[in-house]
Amino acid sequence: MDTFDHGQFIGQTLYSSDDEKVGKIGQVYLDDDTDQPEFLTVNTGLFGMNESFVPAARADVTGDGVRVPFTKDQIKDAPNVDVDGGHLDQSEERRLYEHYGMTYSERASDSGLPEEGTGLAGTTGTTAGTAAGTTGYDHSAGHDTSGPDTDHAMTRSEERLDVGTTSQEAGRARLRKYVTTEQETVTVPVKKERAVLETEPLTGENRDEALSGPDISEEEHEVVLREERPVVDKTAEPVERVRLGTETVTDEETVTEEVRKEHIEAEGDVDDRR
């Protein structure tokens, strides 16, 4: 710590071998004998509540963070170790090195940062018996494992349907006039003449007319009978006007669409007070 500013790595983003963001570096554990970085801790899991140990020997510092030759799953699945008084004993160190497929020996480690501060380098798999941890950042603050530091809360978002209307042509209507033929029956009063046989007595007024002919003879007399017959004529006349117009009616239609919603769940020993 008196040679290198190891605190500059606290809070930087740790990237895995497949260039995935693992989380923020929380602490740097130094070898007690060489005072060189031995392990880094990275905050993983939901809200960064889990802390995983990663060997510092193969770490490489770049402009956007620190990269290690281990996969993200390998780092997240690292064994949980007991830190007694800020130190790791040799059995815990051995477990960690074996998990990452690195050899372990009990001689002093020469891993660590070069004086120029361009990267974490050193002999692979050599550690001292114990390592002391430096002070990490404040775990009471919120830390986003995939990006910058945040506060204690996480924002949940969801998609909302914004439904409106648009006018478009739905069809066309037209007026068409055509002719049909129907039977129509009308009752018409008609007058007809018919012959009526009447008798009248001889009177002084009609006596001369009655005796003007022979006394005995054969005679015929006829009258013309007339009658009315229906006469049909057709006249076209306008009866009404028909106009094509439009009116607006309001219906209801149901719109169904998929929306995405974010959900937040907690991992670990958390009292859910929502």
Side-chain angles (χ1 to χ4, degrees):
M1 293 295 291
D2 58 347
T3 305
F4 309 113
D5 182 13
H6 303 307
Q8 65 178 311
F9 301 104
I10 296 176
Q12 288 203 38
T13 302
L14 185 75
Y15 291 90
S16 64
S17 58
D18 45 5
D19 211 30
E20 284 191 85
K21 288 183 179 180
V22 181
K24 297 292 185 180
I25 297 175
Q27 302 181 77
V28 179
Y29 277 72
L30 306 178
D31 186 280
D32 285 343
D33 295 333
T34 65
D35 202 31
Q36 299 297 323
E38 189 71 26
F39 287 99
L40 307 174
T41 66
V42 60
N43 295 279
T44 59
L46 190 64
F47 304 116
M49 298 178 63
N50 187 43
E51 194 171 44
S52 300
F53 281 77
V54 184
R58 294 183 179 178
D60 181 33
V61 180
T62 61
D64 56 350
V66 179
R67 283 173 169 75
V68 292
F70 310 112
T71 66
K72 184 175 182 178
D73 290 339
Q74 191 175 12
I75 296 171
K76 292 178 65 175
D77 295 338
N80 295 323
V81 297
D82 294 328
V83 180
D84 185 12
H87 286 74
L88 292 175
D89 60 31
Q90 292 183 354
S91 62
E92 299 289 11
E93 289 183 347
R94 183 184 298 276
R95 290 177 59 205
L96 290 170
Y97 273 88
E98 289 176 352
H99 170 76
Y100 287 102
M102 301 173 63
T103 57
Y104 175 79
S105 66
E106 297 182 3
R107 62 186 179 87
S109 171
D110 57 357
S111 64
L113 291 170
E115 294 186 5
E116 292 80 2
T118 57
L120 292 175
T123 304
T124 300
T126 57
T127 71
T130 59
T134 64
T135 302
Y137 58 77
D138 182 9
H139 287 274
S140 64
H143 300 284
D144 190 344
T145 61
S146 61
D149 291 350
T150 63
D151 55 15
H152 290 283
M154 179 179 289
T155 301
R156 186 181 69 86
S157 302
E158 63 184 35
E159 292 179 334
R160 180 186 64 189
L161 286 182
D162 295 323
V163 181
T165 60
T166 182
S167 178
Q168 64 181 19
E169 183 176 316
R172 297 193 178 188
R174 64 170 56 91
L175 286 178
R176 183 172 62 88
K177 184 169 67 172
Y178 59 95
V179 177
T180 61
T181 301
E182 298 178 356
Q183 293 289 337
E184 188 171 322
T185 301
V186 178
T187 301
V188 180
V190 294
K191 295 178 181 180
K192 296 182 179 181
E193 293 181 342
R194 66 178 179 176
V196 178
L197 186 63
E198 297 178 346
T199 62
E200 57 182 18
L202 292 174
T203 64
E205 296 178 355
N206 62 13
R207 185 177 178 82
D208 293 338
E209 294 179 0
L211 299 177
S212 62
D215 293 336
I216 300 297
S217 66
E218 292 183 354
E219 297 287 344
E220 290 184 356
H221 186 77
E222 66 178 17
V223 295
V224 178
L225 301 177
R226 305 188 67 83
E227 68 178 9
E228 293 180 339
R229 292 185 178 180
V231 177
V232 179
D233 193 11
K234 300 178 183 179
T235 302
E237 61 180 14
V239 293
E240 65 179 358
R241 294 277 292 169
V242 180
R243 179 181 293 107
L244 185 63
T246 62
E247 66 177 6
T248 301
V249 296
T250 302
D251 293 331
E252 291 186 353
E253 292 190 6
T254 301
V255 178
T256 302
E257 186 57 62
E258 294 181 349
V259 295
R260 297 179 300 171
K261 298 182 178 180
E262 295 180 339
H263 301 275
I264 297 176
E265 63 180 12
E267 294 180 354
D269 187 11
V270 179
D271 184 11
D272 193 343
R273 297 182 179 178
R274 291 178 293 182

